[in-house]
Amino acid sequence: MKKLLILGLVAIGFSSCSKETLDSAGRDVAQNVIRSFEWTNVVKVEKVGGEEVLRDTIAAESKGTYLDFDKDGFAYVFDGKGGSKSFSYDMPTSKSMNFDKVSYTIKENIIQSTIKFTLENTNQTKTTTIEFKRK
């Protein structure tokens, strides 16, 4: 009988959590994952009508560059020579990110995939993806 009572209390506790509360917790965990360690390979690809029109390597381990998401709302790309450039970012939900003033959908579950995630933005005929990888 005690087990049933405890199970009932746990069920009531979970049901009282709103979807907003659960997503906020998921967003916080996802932010912690992207802020942990450095992203050593970051590539932006734009396709129009399925054909690649732009490929930009934002950070590459082979070039000694990496990207670091900071708590101040900027992702910094360090060139290994003391220089850097930055991109603004924020995560309204655990499945979306605004990066460099563009809204993207996050394709993976960041909580489960800590070594890679992909942003995607599609509007009309143009699709932009940014792939982030680390070791």
Side-chain angles (χ1 to χ4, degrees):
M1 184 69 165
K2 271 187 166 181
K3 289 182 183 180
L4 230 86
L5 182 61
I6 292 171
L7 185 60
L9 289 172
V10 169
I12 290 170
F14 280 133
S15 67
S16 67
C17 290
S18 69
K19 181 178 180 339
E20 184 179 303
T21 301
L22 292 173
D23 192 55
S24 180
R27 184 190 71 226
D28 290 346
V29 171
Q31 285 179 328
N32 287 335
V33 168
I34 68 164
R35 290 175 182 157
S36 299
F37 309 107
E38 301 161 348
W39 296 93
T40 53
N41 292 296
V42 181
V43 177
K44 178 179 179 179
V45 175
E46 290 182 2
K47 292 183 178 182
V48 175
E51 185 176 327
E52 188 175 304
V53 294
L54 172 75
R55 177 174 289 270
D56 181 21
T57 301
I58 297 171
E61 184 176 22
S62 62
K63 295 180 181 179
T65 59
Y66 64 91
L67 183 139
D68 188 35
F69 286 96
D70 204 341
K71 288 183 180 182
D72 67 358
F74 288 92
Y76 296 95
V77 178
F78 297 96
D79 66 9
K81 300 174 187 170
S84 69
K85 64 180 177 179
S86 63
F87 301 92
S88 63
Y89 83 95
D90 68 274
M91 290 181 75
T93 70
S94 63
K95 294 297 287 174
S96 65
M97 179 184 281
N98 299 316
F99 187 82
D100 199 22
K101 300 178 184 154
V102 178
S103 296
Y104 292 92
T105 301
I106 300 171
K107 303 306 286 180
E108 296 84 5
N109 182 341
I110 293 178
I111 298 166
Q112 294 174 345
S113 174
T114 60
I115 59 169
K116 174 189 167 207
F117 76 98
T118 308
L119 302 179
E120 183 177 87
N121 173 284
T122 302
N123 56 26
Q124 296 177 347
T125 61
K126 180 177 152 185
T127 300
T128 303
T129 60
I130 305 176
E131 186 176 77
F132 298 81
K133 290 182 181 178
R134 63 178 161 206
K135 289 183 175 184

